[in-house]
Amino acid sequence: LPDLTRMMLATGCRIGECLAIGWTEVDLDAATVDVRWRLVRRSGVGLLRLASTKTGEKGERLIPLPSWAVTMLRQRRAVIGPGVEPVFPDSLGGWRDPSNVRRVWRQVRDEAEMGDVVSHMLRKTVASFLDDAQVSTRKISDQLGHSKVSMTQDRYLGRRLTDRQTAEVLEG
């Protein structure tokens, strides 16, 4: 859970996207991850690794990674060893079920008395960090894999007080 949380904070990916990342999508030398898969559980079928993201091909993206995420991934690679494709494998080396991770998340959250904190809040935190750093809404939208910038603006970015520019314009 700690490394998965770090990866979600490094990328802004949805939990099913992070869990679907395989080592073939990670380029540690270029410090990037190619997000083009998602894991979902379908009743009567089981766990599926589906090509494309929740928002389809528009959500597929090559995400640059911060150095601390590359360090974490290098350490994971060394511990996991060769022959295992998932970056966040289950105990048998296969794809980890997002439903099971959410259950563990709830257990940890409840034990830590963290209220209603859900994993998706990490995604919103990434958007807030980027917004606070004056990253353009288009770039934030691309980072999160939204097909429309309006989704990023309406659901992920909070309204702020306007800056002095508004007063300066009205001064005249």
Side-chain angles (χ1 to χ4, degrees):
L1 199 55
D3 283 351
L4 177 61
T5 301
R6 287 182 191 96
M7 189 66 165
M8 292 174 74
L9 286 170
T11 61
C13 285
R14 298 168 182 94
I15 196 165
E17 291 171 342
C18 266
L19 292 172
I21 296 171
W23 289 110
T24 54
E25 286 89 47
V26 175
D27 186 335
L28 294 172
D29 295 327
T32 59
V33 61
D34 195 2
V35 179
R36 57 180 51 249
W37 298 90
R38 64 188 165 123
L39 286 176
V40 296
R41 173 157 294 288
R42 294 260 166 88
S43 56
V45 179
L47 187 63
L48 300 172
R49 185 176 188 237
L50 301 176
S52 198
T53 66
K54 180 182 174 187
T55 53
E57 289 181 12
K58 290 181 180 180
E60 295 176 9
R61 58 218 186 267
L62 185 65
I63 298 177
L65 296 169
S67 62
W68 52 265
V70 173
T71 299
M72 178 269 297
L73 289 169
R74 286 187 194 282
Q75 291 169 348
R76 285 191 70 74
R77 190 67 191 147
V79 170
I80 292 171
V84 175
E85 176 59 10
V87 172
F88 302 99
D90 63 12
S91 59
L92 300 175
W95 300 103
R96 187 176 296 274
D97 189 328
S99 300
N100 292 340
V101 173
R102 285 186 193 94
R103 180 180 40 77
V104 171
W105 179 277
R106 286 189 301 272
Q107 289 171 346
V108 170
R109 175 199 65 198
D110 293 346
E111 288 172 14
E113 298 178 5
M114 294 174 25
D116 293 330
V117 174
V118 294
S119 62
H120 204 70
M121 291 174 103
L122 299 173
R123 191 167 159 76
K124 291 188 177 193
T125 299
V126 169
S128 295
F129 283 162
L130 296 175
D131 188 38
D132 290 346
Q134 307 292 314
V135 173
S136 74
T137 305
R138 163 49 69 196
K139 288 181 180 179
I140 297 170
S141 181
D142 290 344
Q143 178 84 18
L144 298 178
H146 288 150
S147 58
K148 296 183 180 180
V149 175
S150 60
M151 167 61 93
T152 307
Q153 288 175 314
D154 296 345
R155 308 249 190 224
Y156 286 79
L157 305 180
R159 304 265 327 231
R160 296 186 300 227
L161 292 175
T162 58
D163 61 21
R164 289 296 312 162
Q165 181 184 11
T166 58
E168 290 166 7
V169 168
L170 295 173
E171 186 67 34

